[in-house]
């Protein structure tokens, strides 16, 4: 049996056109269709549910408060009954008359069958220059990561054997669009893969959801599965934020200490006060940026954010004390104030990463 997953986001106009064509293409194969919709604002889930009422072989999963093509597909696979799973865009871009070929390629002993735009006879169809180039670059990078030889690891049109998927589902990274790539990164290298050429058609209605954010997620993914195995991405992001925080700290220090200077002279008290203000401003800045970027996955909102900020301050206390003590000490030794402030600021960064990772964003 074939389980066809249709991930949807704002495809209300396309679904009613698509389903009869799929039905026709699959008339000789036992199958079910699973539509996984992320609570689309255009009400795709409602259209899908209505279509599903008329047919026993159409199921709908409406996910609320979640987004993402990869995770939607994984969820569809997890609820599927077939021994072969397939995925297809719900916008008419993939040639559904090839579904039987994809199905049989897996049925008869293959692990994965890919509807491929880059194998002989396939084509990306009508794309602008920019999308063409981006896709080429992404594909070239992606191919290097795959356990098996393929020409189009970024395709969104493929079939996979149930057992193969179940063996690796625990290792998958559900971020972004690259579900097939992620599967190819995790399958055993003995997996049999077949590519079937097709021409990527134009969308029936609506527009692509492959946003800049999705492209950024792709780069993050490349990092995650290479260097990220040794140095986690959150740590790299944290260091970038920490680095920027040092500038904020410096900037605030220069600004505040200005009010305490008499000529070129700055008292130890004035220095200490300026450093404390600078530390708190930097903490606020770091918390904000870490919350919306580094730890975006567990972003804190409203009251939670206030509590998180309090915890973050607590987590930073030791880093801040070290920062304060080191810079005051150096300043008292007559070091130049700027140098003392910079060295103090760096002292805090590594400590803070460890603490906030395990206290404020523990989830
Ligand atoms: N549930 C869910 N959640 N579905 C989504 C989401 C989401 O966040 N984002 C996109 N989809 C659905 C779309 O509604 C569509 O049915 C399918 O996933 C693919 O999205 P498109 O917006 O049509 O992507 P595309 O056509 O630009 O990109 C195609 O080519 C890429 C490679 O060039 C897709 O086939 C991609 O899978 C493929 O990587
Ligand atoms: Mn599409």
């Amino acid at each position: 049996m074939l389980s066809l997953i249709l991930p949807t986001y704002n495809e209300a106009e396309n679904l009613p056109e698509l389903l009869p064509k799929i039905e026709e293409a699959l008339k000789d194969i036992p199958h079910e269709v699973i539509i996984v919709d992320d609570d689309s604002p255009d009400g795709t889930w409602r259209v899908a549910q209505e279509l599903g009422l008329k047919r026993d072989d159409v199921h709908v999963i409406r996910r609320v408060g979640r987004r993402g093509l990869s995770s939607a597909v994984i969820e569809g696979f997890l609820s599927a009954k077939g021994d072969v799973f397939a995925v297809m865009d719900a916008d008419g871009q993939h040639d559904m008359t090839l579904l039987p070929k994809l199905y049989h390629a897996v049925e008869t002993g293959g692990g994965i069958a890919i509807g491929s735009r880059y194998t002989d006879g396939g084509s990306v169809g009508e794309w602008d220059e920019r999308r063409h180039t981006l896709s080429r670059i992404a594909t070239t990078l992606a191919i290097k990561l795959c356990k098996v030889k393929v020409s189009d690891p970024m395709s969104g049109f493929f079939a996979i054997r149930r057992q193969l998927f179940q063996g690796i589902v625990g290792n998958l990274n559900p971020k972004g669009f690259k579900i097939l790539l992620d599967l190819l990164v995790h399958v055993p290298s003995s997996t049999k893969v077949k590519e079937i050429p097709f021409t990527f058609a134009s969308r029936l209605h609506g527009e692509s959801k492959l946003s800049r954010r999705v492209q950024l997620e792709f780069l993050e993914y490349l990092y995650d599965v290479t260097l990220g195995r040794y140095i986690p991405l959150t740590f790299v992001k944290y260091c970038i934020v920490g680095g920027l925080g040092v500038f904020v700290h410096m900037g605030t220090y220069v600004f505040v200490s200005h009010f305490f200077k008499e000529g070129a002279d700055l008292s130890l008290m004035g220095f200490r006060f300026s450093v404390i203000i600078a530390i708190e401003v930097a903490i606020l800045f770091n918390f904000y940026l870490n919350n919306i970027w580094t730890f975006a996955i567990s972003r804190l909102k409203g009251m939670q954010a206030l509590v998180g900020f309090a915890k973050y301050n607590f987590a930073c206390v030791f880093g801040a004390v070290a920062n304060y003590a080191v810079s005051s000490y150096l300043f008292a030794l007559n070091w130049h104030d700027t140098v003392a402030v910079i060295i103090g600021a760096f002292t805090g960064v590594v400590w803070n990463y460890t603490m906030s990772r395990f206290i404020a964003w523990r989830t």
Side-chain angles (χ1 to χ4, degrees):
M1 176 180 178
L2 173 70
S3 298
L4 174 64
I5 313 302
L6 298 178
T8 58
Y9 194 75
N10 288 346
E11 308 288 1
E13 276 185 288
N14 289 318
L15 272 187
E17 259 180 77
L18 216 61
L19 279 185
K21 292 187 194 162
I22 292 174
E23 199 54 24
E24 173 62 24
L26 292 180
K27 63 178 186 300
D28 298 326
I29 297 172
H31 66 271
E32 63 176 344
V33 176
I34 302 175
I35 298 163
V36 188
D37 184 69
D38 286 351
D39 203 20
S40 299
D42 78 347
T44 306
W45 49 273
R46 191 180 304 115
V47 174
Q49 282 170 355
E50 278 160 15
L51 293 163
L53 281 180
K54 295 181 208 135
R55 301 211 345 223
D56 287 343
D57 56 356
V58 173
H59 311 284
V60 181
I61 300 176
R62 174 185 175 191
R63 305 198 302 171
V64 177
R66 314 248 308 271
R67 266 308 294 278
L69 174 50
S70 285
S71 66
V73 170
I74 292 173
E75 210 150 313
F77 284 171
L78 287 171
S79 76
K81 294 188 197 139
D83 49 342
V84 178
F85 303 157
V87 188
M88 191 174 95
D89 279 16
D91 55 10
Q93 293 195 276
H94 294 146
D95 179 1
M96 62 269 281
T97 62
L98 292 180
L99 283 170
K101 272 197 191 169
L102 292 173
Y103 172 71
H104 290 302
V106 174
E107 248 282 287
T108 55
I112 296 184
I114 304 173
S116 169
R117 302 159 296 179
Y118 294 128
T119 198
D120 279 348
S123 148
V124 294
E126 295 164 10
W127 262 1
D128 59 43
E129 197 59 33
R130 192 176 150 271
R131 173 101 197 237
H132 218 111
T133 315
L134 282 179
S135 173
R136 278 275 171 202
I137 298 173
T139 303
T140 311
L141 293 172
I143 282 174
K144 297 196 196 337
L145 300 173
C146 298
K147 290 278 161 42
V148 282
K149 200 171 167 300
V150 295
S151 63
D152 193 0
M154 306 298 289
S155 177
F157 188 31
F158 64 93
I160 182 170
R161 176 178 291 273
R162 165 193 277 276
Q163 280 112 318
L164 184 59
F165 168 75
Q166 281 185 336
I168 56 177
V169 59
N171 304 326
L172 300 179
N173 173 326
K175 211 161 48 178
F177 260 46
K178 31 83 256 261
I179 172 72
L180 176 60
L181 171 62
D182 202 20
L183 292 165
L184 292 168
V185 165
H186 291 101
V187 292
S189 51
S190 59
T191 305
K192 275 199 217 141
V193 177
K194 181 165 183 187
E195 291 191 86
I196 295 169
F198 84 103
T199 297
F200 200 56
S202 303
R203 259 181 172 271
L204 292 172
H205 306 281
E207 52 195 43
S208 169
K209 283 87 198 177
L210 206 156
S211 56
R212 258 177 221 291
R213 187 192 177 91
V214 170
Q215 290 164 20
L216 186 69
E217 283 171 341
F218 175 71
L219 292 181
E220 292 189 0
Y221 176 76
L222 291 184
Y223 180 87
D224 278 342
V225 293
T226 50
L227 265 184
R229 294 194 171 157
Y230 313 102
I231 309 169
L233 185 60
T234 49
F235 180 71
V236 175
K237 287 180 172 179
Y238 198 91
C239 290
I240 294 174
V241 173
L244 293 175
V246 172
F247 284 102
V248 171
H249 181 74
M250 278 307 301
T252 312
Y253 168 78
V254 170
F255 179 75
V256 177
S257 64
H258 182 77
F259 295 100
F260 291 93
K261 282 193 174 159
E262 284 154 25
D265 282 344
L266 178 64
S267 67
L268 186 56
M269 271 311 288
F271 178 82
R272 285 179 167 158
F273 182 77
S274 310
V275 166
I276 290 174
I277 299 288
I279 288 176
E280 192 53 38
V281 171
I283 287 179
L284 186 64
F285 168 85
N286 284 19
F287 177 80
Y288 180 75
L289 218 56
N290 280 323
N291 194 39
I292 63 165
W293 187 49
T294 317
F295 301 111
I297 244 177
S298 37
R299 180 181 304 179
L300 306 169
K301 292 183 185 138
M303 237 354 239
Q304 264 192 331
L306 280 181
V307 175
F309 181 61
K311 285 186 188 171
Y312 184 71
N313 268 283
F314 176 72
C316 291
V317 160
F318 297 92
V321 167
N323 179 344
Y324 173 81
V326 167
S327 49
S328 303
Y329 175 72
L330 295 177
F331 183 74
L333 286 181
N334 279 328
W335 284 46
H336 190 284
D337 65 338
T338 324
V339 180
V341 170
I342 292 181
I343 296 180
F346 274 108
T347 317
V349 173
V350 172
W351 171 267
N352 284 349
Y353 172 73
T354 322
M355 289 305 274
S356 45
R357 178 76 187 76
F358 295 107
I359 297 188
W361 285 276
R362 201 175 34 176
T363 55

